[in-house]
Amino acid sequence: MTNLQWNDTYSVGFKLIDDQHKILISLINDLYVAKRFGTLKTAIVGVLEKLATYTVYHFNAEKELFAQYKYPKSSEHLAEHDYFVDQVKGFQKALITERTMLSLKTIDFLKDWTITHILGSDKEFGEFVKHQESRL
């Protein structure tokens, strides 16, 4: 696994959302670096907490946009968000209560899910908005 690098392929057409995606990618990269260099578990737990908190913040921003634009696929999109949040909570619980270490497999999941979601559902929403705005 390597660090994720933002590129314009990931852009969904909203500066706000693209900037938030950059922060999410940065937080996932922080986890990777912490794991790779053997950072103390407490520090890794802290980075995962930042990721969890920021993810909820970001997903709420998207939810507001869905309402603003009356996005017809919002329930499916929000279900994807809920799944990711549940996974991150599970990782947090395992780190704190089960005395496990963060694995590269977990970081790969975070990376792969985020990129797949951005390139799929988020881009689809971006295209929906572009289409709506072009009709005005």
Side-chain angles (χ1 to χ4, degrees):
M1 182 192 156
T2 60
N3 278 349
L4 289 170
Q5 299 299 317
W6 176 265
N7 66 63
D8 289 339
T9 305
Y10 303 145
S11 177
V12 297
F14 281 95
K15 182 176 177 0
L16 171 74
I17 298 301
D18 288 342
D19 288 347
Q20 290 178 2
H21 285 161
K22 290 174 188 176
I23 292 170
L24 289 172
I25 288 171
S26 176
L27 288 167
I28 293 169
N29 286 338
D30 290 349
L31 278 175
Y32 172 70
V33 169
K35 172 66 178 167
R36 183 169 177 232
F37 291 105
T39 303
L40 292 175
K41 184 176 176 178
T42 54
I44 291 173
V45 169
V47 175
L48 190 56
E49 177 62 30
K50 286 180 188 175
L51 175 66
T53 300
Y54 196 80
T55 297
V56 170
Y57 169 78
H58 165 66
F59 288 167
N60 283 334
E62 285 190 0
K63 185 177 181 177
E64 288 177 16
L65 288 171
F66 297 163
Q68 178 183 339
Y69 287 96
K70 297 176 178 52
Y71 186 48
K73 293 187 177 183
S74 63
S75 60
E76 295 96 331
H77 198 125
L78 294 172
E80 291 178 27
H81 290 176
D82 291 343
Y83 171 77
F84 187 76
V85 168
D86 289 346
Q87 294 300 306
V88 172
K89 285 180 182 177
F91 300 147
Q92 288 178 291
K93 181 181 177 188
L95 277 174
I96 295 168
T97 62
E98 298 172 16
R99 298 183 187 263
T100 60
M101 292 300 294
L102 187 71
S103 71
L104 290 177
K105 183 177 176 181
T106 299
I107 297 169
D108 281 341
F109 166 81
L110 295 170
K111 176 190 78 165
D112 293 344
W113 188 94
T114 299
I115 295 306
T116 300
H117 183 76
I118 290 170
L119 292 175
S121 299
D122 286 344
K123 278 201 169 264
E124 185 176 353
F125 173 64
E127 289 300 317
F128 171 81
V129 170
K130 285 179 194 172
H131 177 73
Q132 293 295 100
E133 290 181 346
S134 71
R135 295 171 42 188
L136 297 177

